[in-house]
Amino acid sequence: MSRLTHVLNTSIATVAIAANLMVAPANAFCGFYVAQADSKLFNSSSKVVLARDGDQTAITMASDFEGDAKEFAVVVPVPTFIERKQIGVVDPKTIDHIDRFTAPRLVEYSDIDPCRPPMPAEMAVASPNSRAGQPSNYPNRPQSYGVTIEASYDVAEYDVLILSAKESDGLVNWLVDNQYRIPQGAESVLGSYIKQNMRFFVAKVNVERMSAIGNRYLRPLQVRYKSAKFMVPLRLGTVNARGPQDLIVFALSRNGRIESTNYRTVKIPSDIDVPLYIKDEFGPFYKAMFERAVAQQNMHAVFVEYAWNMAWCDPCAAEPLNSKELVELGARWIGGDDVGTTPRGFYGPGSNTFVTRLHVRYDATSFPEDIVLMETGDRGNFQGRYVQHHPWNGTAECKAATAYRNELPLRFAREARNLEDLTGWAHKDVAARMEATGQPLEAR
């Protein structure tokens, strides 16, 4: 029997905008991630928040673009015309919060004295959890390209255009002639969206306005629209990518878990005991485990890392988001009167909001189509959760203590096998690290 002593959160955060065309010649998402455990994890990655209510969608796109702000731009296909009131910016701390709240986690338990029967409260603690005007500053006439500027807006530090086009080559030529550097191969992808009668949300930074506002960083952009289409348009982001990328989607809904309809949705391996030394190497451990899971699915799966009611958590990697934060991310069905935090383990303002964290490793070959999503009624709880058990080191003598000590080598061996199966790491390396941290393995 064990007592829960600690929860260690590692954030598999991503750092740039989904489905974008960066003006600067770089990776598609041009971002670097440094884990909380001082380990770089997924450095070609992005994070997106989706809130879905009926046929209403809010998509929030986060960026940690590092460079000259005037070199930043984003092009995102949208299924309908976008009015100014449907566009906003979000505090990046809110996205960081939902990232921490849903991140895969390491939990620690301490074994209790085997000679002392556990009290009911200790048994409860030890139990594992359940599973429109046209702008004047664009000199090239769009009509000659078959491009229509349907609207232009000032949105905080961004200049935003809503474009439609008749042909992809005309759209590409207009973007290039207006100082957008479009990567080779973009034309065919843009053409597929044009055939679907989709419009294009184009944003770039207004440096003067950004300076006047006093911001030193780019805030995440949010777009809200009504459409039967529920999707993540990721194909544009593959055009100028230098290899596979990672996308993390935080999906909010009233009803339950969000899943992909055109790719397999798979739960990440979870609720598995691992050796004690993983506490100091959780970043490399999770990266290796995720890469192995991706390879086992031939990079054709969407992985669930977290699915839970937003009002509570067990164990908690961070405090649940409050109503103000949830509304800011697009969950407007809950109202925003209660701006306080929700105590851990109790139902609060997010009780009618369900969050799903999806993690995708993709490239143009493995994911030739955008990810189409659907709401389900499944409100079953799930989290990427890895467990450590600290052995009891007392000196008490009884039959239970003798049996406990005799069983420890078998437990250590199981933890080693778990780690090797999850990551593909060599047994001799795992055994050496375990012995150095007080978990010696018997020779095979």
Side-chain angles (χ1 to χ4, degrees):
M1 197 63 64
S2 303
R3 181 181 291 107
L4 178 63
T5 58
H6 184 65
V7 178
L8 174 67
N9 168 33
T10 186
S11 174
I12 316 301
T14 50
V15 291
I17 293 181
N20 64 4
L21 296 177
M22 304 303 297
V23 178
N27 283 339
F29 297 123
C30 192
F32 296 89
Y33 169 74
V34 179
Q36 293 177 348
D38 297 325
S39 300
K40 184 192 298 183
L41 292 184
F42 308 109
N43 63 357
S44 294
S45 53
S46 58
K47 57 185 174 185
V48 174
V49 182
L50 291 173
R52 182 72 168 178
D53 185 19
D55 57 3
Q56 300 280 348
T57 299
I59 179 169
T60 305
M61 302 163 285
S63 173
D64 271 354
F65 176 76
E66 296 180 359
D68 192 338
K70 67 182 179 182
E71 293 295 315
F72 173 88
V74 59
V75 177
V76 179
V78 290
T80 186
F81 176 76
I82 304 297
E83 300 180 17
R84 172 61 185 87
K85 64 183 180 181
Q86 297 170 260
I87 309 170
V89 293
V90 170
D91 188 337
K93 293 180 181 179
T94 306
I95 294 181
D96 291 341
H97 190 175
I98 196 171
D99 190 8
R100 295 193 309 272
F101 180 77
T102 61
R105 62 212 60 198
L106 181 69
V107 298
E108 294 180 294
Y109 292 91
S110 293
D111 294 350
I112 64 173
D113 184 345
C115 295
R116 181 174 63 87
M119 301 298 291
E122 292 174 338
M123 296 177 65
V125 171
S127 297
N129 63 294
S130 61
R131 310 263 202 259
Q134 191 162 303
S136 59
N137 58 335
Y138 289 86
N140 299 299
R141 294 175 60 84
Q143 291 86 351
S144 62
Y145 297 85
V147 173
T148 300
I149 300 178
E150 298 192 2
S152 65
Y153 309 119
D154 296 343
V155 181
E157 61 265 30
Y158 299 97
D159 290 332
V160 174
L161 298 178
I162 308 301
L163 304 180
S164 60
K166 296 179 179 178
E167 300 290 342
S168 59
D169 57 349
L171 177 58
V172 169
N173 290 337
W174 185 88
L175 290 168
V176 169
D177 289 348
N178 284 278
Q179 311 306 310
Y180 294 86
R181 300 178 191 175
I182 305 302
Q184 185 177 3
E187 185 173 325
S188 62
V189 179
L190 292 170
S192 68
Y193 291 120
I194 292 172
K195 290 178 181 178
Q196 298 177 56
N197 295 317
M198 297 184 75
R199 293 171 172 83
F200 298 91
F201 175 94
V202 182
K204 63 181 179 181
V205 177
N206 185 306
V207 178
E208 291 77 16
R209 196 160 63 245
M210 182 176 179
S211 178
I213 294 172
N215 278 354
R216 296 184 179 180
Y217 53 84
L218 300 179
R219 287 175 289 182
L221 274 163
Q222 183 180 94
V223 183
R224 300 177 296 277
Y225 54 83
K226 181 177 181 179
S227 173
K229 293 182 178 179
F230 186 27
M231 58 182 284
V232 180
L234 53 75
R235 283 183 299 148
L236 281 178
T238 66
V239 174
N240 60 343
R242 296 174 181 173
Q245 301 172 83
D246 285 83
L247 169 67
I248 294 182
V249 178
F250 310 96
L252 305 173
S253 77
R254 289 177 185 258
N255 299 320
R257 186 175 303 175
I258 301 296
E259 298 182 354
S260 170
T261 64
N262 57 337
Y263 296 100
R264 285 194 65 196
T265 302
V266 179
K267 293 178 181 177
I268 202 72
S270 182
D271 283 330
I272 299 171
D273 294 342
V274 295
L276 297 179
Y277 82 87
I278 292 302
K279 179 178 180 179
D280 295 325
E281 300 184 20
F282 192 57
F285 156 74
Y286 193 84
K287 181 179 179 181
M289 189 203 67
F290 184 77
E291 290 174 347
R292 189 170 176 85
V294 168
Q296 290 171 342
Q297 296 293 331
N298 298 314
M299 206 160 75
H300 285 299
V302 176
F303 290 93
V304 179
E305 293 183 325
Y306 190 86
W308 211 281
N309 187 299
M310 280 299 306
W312 69 291
C313 43
D314 178 24
C316 295
E319 294 287 346
L321 278 68
N322 60 46
S323 290
K324 181 179 179 181
E325 292 173 304
L326 291 171
V327 171
E328 183 181 12
L329 292 176
R332 297 188 169 194
W333 56 85
I334 69 171
D337 295 333
D338 184 351
V339 297
T341 59
T342 303
R344 292 189 178 192
F346 292 92
Y347 283 92
S351 58
N352 62 342
T353 302
F354 198 90
V355 62
T356 307
R357 177 186 177 116
L358 302 173
H359 189 169
V360 185
R361 172 76 54 84
Y362 71 100
D363 59 20
T365 301
S366 61
F367 278 73
E369 301 176 355
D370 293 324
I371 300 175
V372 180
L373 300 172
M374 64 174 290
E375 289 183 273
T376 75
D378 185 353
R379 298 182 70 88
N381 295 327
F382 174 81
Q383 58 182 288
R385 177 178 177 272
Y386 309 92
V387 184
Q388 294 185 326
H389 295 277
H390 291 269
W392 171 75
N393 293 316
T395 59
E397 295 294 338
C398 64
K399 290 184 178 180
T402 300
Y404 170 82
R405 294 186 183 103
N406 290 338
E407 195 274 337
L408 279 179
L410 298 176
R411 190 173 89 182
F412 295 164
R414 287 194 298 269
E415 292 174 359
R417 286 195 299 271
N418 289 344
L419 183 59
E420 294 160 21
D421 291 342
L422 288 172
T423 63
W425 290 349
H427 174 75
K428 63 181 180 64
D429 297 331
V430 171
R433 294 290 287 114
M434 291 183 69
E435 184 169 4
T437 52
Q439 289 187 293
L441 298 179
E442 295 179 348
R444 287 185 174 180

